[in-house]
């Protein structure tokens, strides 16, 4: 290749223009704060299409060299040259540029409130309160750890002892027959969802999600260019038949459901709907991702048949975690699915993080095989049921008909509807200023007068105090019935 061809002819015209304009800026021809020629003027001057100049200016914009002021023009950034004549990266511009989308601003706000010094009562984050954690079980497990033997990189698919323990656990507690070779250990169910998207889907693919849903709040779908098609959650889960017309229009690649004690509505998908969903999956060849962090939390100890346990044809990819039944900080989650996709995802996990940390895996293996694990689950169920009763009682006492909800039989969330004349933002602002934080419905993808009260994180006193604070925060607003009657 000649020198000429490696520079001017193989470099796209817009890049050549961007390079040249950058040089002119750095030489001081266009100092910081000055305006570049308009796109139209520069295009005429260089005898190129305006779109070529727009693309060139986009390059300068992405590099933080210029700013585009809508309706005014393109201005050289003030950070281009410092006093010492050095050029520094524009970090703000970099922070905006990455392809991974930011969290929903309200989600970010919630985490800031919860971590702030203020004494916030936390009805927003889905984790267990200290009194529900199996502390002595975890301490026992920790004591048995052979720290020196487990200090190296782990098997990328997950520690073998843990996968064997999990295989036994899945059969005993969830009716799922899955050999350890078909299991992948992940950093919570969250990473499991991310790996599935990264490994098995492509930008432009369409997937079904529930509306409302936890998945809605995750930017991971949209950051990967996945189109999400929401189906409303009814009292007994989504209507599986609603998938068929969507599939005919969009060619659905995957169905994401959280059928048991759904986040946020607390609903349980009926056995009939589960069967119909599996039917549709096998009729159209669409895999189902069953996201199941909650089925073990059924308060009265009834065994809930997971979709995966009903899946005779192997179309369900099952994901779950220990976050809602042991401790979210362990970050132990898993995927059970066909070996081919498990190996593919293990390969990606290796590239991302070199496998899951060994110590939490050791603790999890000990916990799952402990004779006391079953007793812990019983205690957890009773504890969650008590919290549910307490929050329901307090809401009825303070709010009567101002908040409506369906009482769940498992899980950690109460899906509530305001019967109050106020906007979501007004209510949330007032609640925060009274020291209580919850998840407003819009971050979960639904109409604005719903909100999620997650009652597992607060202790008994905090639940009552939290509902009282919520009452104080909203007592100035009229109820809908008052206004309309
Ligand atoms: C339905 C659902 N899926 C996945 C997760 C992720 O949890 P983790 O990554 O802690 O397992 C949550 C957490 O709230 C959830 O509710």
């Amino acid at each position: 290749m000649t020198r000429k061809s490696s520079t001017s002819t193989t470099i796209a015209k817009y890049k050549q223009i961007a390079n040249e304009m950058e040089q002119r800026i750095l030489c001081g021809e266009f100092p910081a704060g000055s305006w570049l020629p308009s796109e139209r003027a520069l295009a005429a001057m260089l005898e190129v299409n305006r779109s070529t100049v727009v693309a060139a200016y986009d390059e300068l914009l992405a590099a933080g060299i210029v700013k585009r002021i809508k309706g005014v023009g393109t201005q050289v950034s003030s950070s281009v040259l410092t006093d010492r004549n050095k050029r520094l990266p524009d970090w703000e511009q970099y922070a905006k540029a990455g392809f991974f989308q930011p969290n929903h601003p309200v989600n970010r706000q919630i985490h800031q409130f919860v971590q702030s010094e203020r004494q916030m009562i936390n009805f927003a984050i889905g984790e267990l309160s200290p009194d529900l954690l199996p502390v002595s079980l975890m301490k026992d497990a920790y004591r048995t750890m052979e720290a020196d033997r487990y200090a190296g990189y782990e098997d990328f698919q997950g520690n073998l002892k843990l996968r064997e323990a999990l295989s036994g656990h899945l059969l005993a507690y969830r009716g799922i027959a899955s050999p350890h070779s078909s299991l992948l250990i992940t950093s919570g169910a969250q990473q499991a969802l991310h790996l599935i998207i990264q490994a098995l889907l492509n930008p432009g693919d369409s997937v079904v999600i529930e509306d409302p849903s936890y998945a809605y709040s995750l930017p991971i779908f949209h950051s990967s260019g996945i189109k999400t098609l929401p189906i409303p959650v009814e009292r007994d889960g989504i209507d599986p038949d609603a998938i068929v017309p969507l599939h005919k229009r969009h060619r659905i690649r995957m169905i994401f459901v959280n059928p048991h004690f759904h986040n946020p509505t607390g609903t349980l998908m009926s056995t009939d709907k589960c069967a119909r969903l599996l039917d549709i999956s096998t009729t159209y060849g669409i895999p189902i991702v069953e996201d199941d962090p909650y089925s073990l939390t059924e308060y009265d100890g009834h065994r809930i048949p997971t979709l995966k346990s009903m899946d005779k044809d192997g179309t369900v990819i099952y994901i779950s975690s220990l976050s809602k039944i042991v401790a979210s900080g362990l970050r132990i989650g898993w995927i059970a699915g066909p070996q081919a996709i498990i190996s593919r995802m293990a390969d990606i996990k290796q590239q991302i993080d070199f496998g899951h940390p060994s110590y939490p895996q050791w603790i999890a293996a000990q916990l799952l095989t402990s004779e006391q694990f079953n007793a812990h689950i019983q205690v957890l169920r009773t504890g969650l049921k008590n919290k549910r009763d307490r929050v329901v009682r307090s809401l009825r006492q303070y709010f009567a008909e101002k908040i409506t909800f369906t009482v769940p039989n498992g899980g950690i969330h109460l899906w509530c509807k305001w019967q109050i004349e106020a906007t979501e933002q007004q209510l949330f602002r007032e609640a925060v200023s009274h020291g209580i934080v919850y998840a407003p419905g819009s971050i979960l993808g639904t109409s604005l007068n719903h909100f999620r009260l997650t009652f597992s994180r607060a202790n008994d006193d905090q639940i009552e105090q939290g509902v009282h604070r919520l009452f104080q925060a909203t007592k100035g607003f009229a109820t809908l019935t008052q206004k309309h009657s």
Side-chain angles (χ1 to χ4, degrees):
M1 210 182 283
T2 66
R3 206 150 166 217
K4 186 162 184 277
S5 68
S6 70
T7 53
S8 56
T9 55
T10 57
I11 299 178
K13 190 75 191 165
Y14 77 94
K15 292 234 186 222
Q16 291 179 34
I17 298 172
N19 290 345
E20 164 135 12
M21 291 307 286
E22 182 177 4
Q23 279 314 311
R24 292 172 70 183
I25 290 167
L26 295 180
C27 290
E29 185 180 338
F30 296 104
S34 66
W35 297 92
L36 295 189
S38 74
E39 290 151 1
R40 201 179 297 280
L42 190 60
M45 217 183 306
L46 300 176
E47 294 176 1
V48 296
N49 280 331
R50 185 168 163 225
S51 60
T52 311
V53 175
V54 172
Y57 282 5
D58 280 347
E59 290 278 299
L60 299 177
L61 189 69
I65 296 170
V66 299
K67 291 190 165 76
R68 191 173 275 142
I69 317 266
K70 222 171 165 218
V72 183
T74 308
Q75 188 181 31
V76 179
S77 297
S78 51
S79 63
V80 158
L81 290 175
T82 65
D83 309 346
R84 289 160 291 142
N85 229 20
K86 285 184 181 163
R87 193 167 152 217
L88 301 178
D90 181 342
W91 294 121
E92 299 238 334
Q93 184 62 36
Y94 272 94
K96 281 190 214 134
F99 70 87
F100 209 99
Q101 293 192 5
N103 236 322
H104 193 292
V106 177
N107 258 337
R108 285 210 304 265
Q109 238 181 334
I110 289 173
H111 283 273
Q112 277 163 8
F113 289 142
V114 170
Q115 281 157 10
S116 70
E117 295 296 305
R118 288 182 58 194
Q119 294 290 306
M120 298 297 278
I121 292 184
N122 177 357
F123 282 160
I125 312 274
E127 56 184 2
L128 301 180
S129 56
D131 57 303
L132 293 178
L133 301 179
V135 175
S136 69
L137 251 182
M138 289 199 286
K139 278 188 177 159
D140 288 348
Y142 183 74
R143 262 186 236 112
T144 64
M145 195 155 59
E146 297 165 37
D148 53 339
R149 275 188 52 199
Y150 281 82
Y153 289 126
E154 258 299 352
D155 184 326
F156 300 131
Q157 206 176 317
N159 174 276
L160 183 59
K161 273 207 168 81
L162 173 57
R163 283 186 290 129
E164 283 169 351
L166 203 47
S167 181
H169 166 85
L170 288 175
L171 193 59
Y173 285 84
R174 305 169 195 240
I176 297 170
S178 179
H180 63 72
S181 54
S182 292
L183 293 173
L184 172 68
I185 305 301
T186 59
S187 178
Q190 184 90 349
Q191 190 186 43
L193 284 165
H194 195 197
L195 282 172
I196 288 169
I197 293 168
Q198 297 287 307
L200 312 179
L201 297 172
N202 275 302
D205 281 351
S206 295
V207 303
V208 159
I209 62 167
E210 295 156 310
D211 173 24
S213 81
Y214 171 74
Y216 179 90
S217 68
L218 303 179
I220 53 179
F221 287 94
H222 299 136
S223 296
S224 308
I226 306 298
K227 192 165 162 196
T228 48
L229 302 169
I231 295 185
V233 175
E234 299 165 349
R235 276 177 176 266
D236 55 352
I238 60 163
D239 173 9
D241 285 298
I243 295 169
V244 178
L246 284 179
H247 182 57
K248 292 195 170 145
R249 268 189 90 167
H250 301 277
R251 313 249 11 118
I252 305 297
R253 293 279 295 158
M254 221 169 249
I255 302 163
F256 287 81
V257 282
N258 166 210
H260 304 116
F261 309 122
H262 172 253
N263 179 0
T265 64
T267 52
L268 196 58
M269 189 181 278
S270 66
T271 315
D272 284 354
K273 281 192 171 177
C274 287
R276 181 69 188 128
L277 191 59
L278 288 166
D279 212 28
I280 285 170
S281 165
T282 50
T283 304
Y284 296 95
I286 313 171
I288 300 170
V289 175
E290 178 182 19
D291 180 9
D292 178 34
Y294 304 112
S295 64
L296 255 63
T297 62
E298 207 278 347
Y299 304 139
D300 296 318
H302 297 125
R303 168 79 75 83
I304 308 288
T306 56
L307 262 182
K308 182 74 184 157
S309 69
M310 301 165 69
D311 168 31
K312 302 286 171 273
D313 300 290
T315 63
V316 177
I317 303 169
Y318 180 82
I319 70 183
S320 185
S321 79
L322 295 185
S323 292
K324 319 296 175 178
I325 55 170
V326 176
S328 51
L330 274 181
R331 304 310 299 135
I332 294 288
W334 60 88
I335 309 176
Q339 225 170 319
I341 65 161
I342 292 292
S343 304
R344 166 89 173 108
M345 289 185 279
D347 179 59
I348 294 181
K349 186 159 162 66
Q350 188 234 316
Q351 296 177 54
I352 292 172
D353 64 8
F354 258 116
H356 207 60
S358 49
Y359 291 171
Q361 294 197 71
W362 173 271
I363 293 175
Q366 300 297 307
L367 281 165
L368 289 173
T369 48
S370 158
E371 283 175 3
Q372 275 105 58
F373 182 77
N374 193 42
H376 159 65
I377 294 295
Q378 304 311 324
V379 170
L380 174 72
R381 285 172 167 153
T382 311
L384 286 175
K385 187 178 187 182
N386 289 340
K387 286 185 195 294
R388 180 214 52 188
D389 288 345
R390 204 169 279 270
V391 77
V392 165
R393 217 172 28 242
S394 299
L395 284 171
R396 287 189 175 141
Q397 180 193 335
Y398 286 109
F399 286 91
E401 79 285 1
K402 269 184 155 185
I403 291 178
T404 51
F405 47 83
T406 306
V407 180
N409 293 322
I412 62 176
H413 308 293
L414 191 68
W415 187 231
C416 303
K417 188 169 185 182
W418 293 115
Q419 305 293 343
I420 283 181
E421 195 69 30
T423 65
E424 181 178 70
Q425 289 84 353
Q426 283 172 321
L427 291 163
F428 188 64
R429 206 170 346 148
E430 281 302 318
V432 167
S433 74
H434 282 76
I436 160 178
V437 65
Y438 57 80
S442 62
I443 64 173
L444 298 146
T446 197
S447 63
L448 297 179
N449 50 357
H450 278 90
F451 66 105
R452 189 190 72 194
L453 274 191
T454 298
F455 49 82
S456 55
R457 183 67 183 83
N459 63 32
D460 293 351
D461 287 347
Q462 288 168 331
I463 289 182
E464 296 199 357
Q465 223 188 82
V467 176
H468 181 245
R469 286 186 190 183
L470 195 60
F471 173 70
Q472 294 292 344
T474 57
K475 83 179 167 187
F477 299 110
T479 59
L480 283 176
T481 40
Q482 267 171 8
K483 183 157 185 219
H484 297 299
S485 58

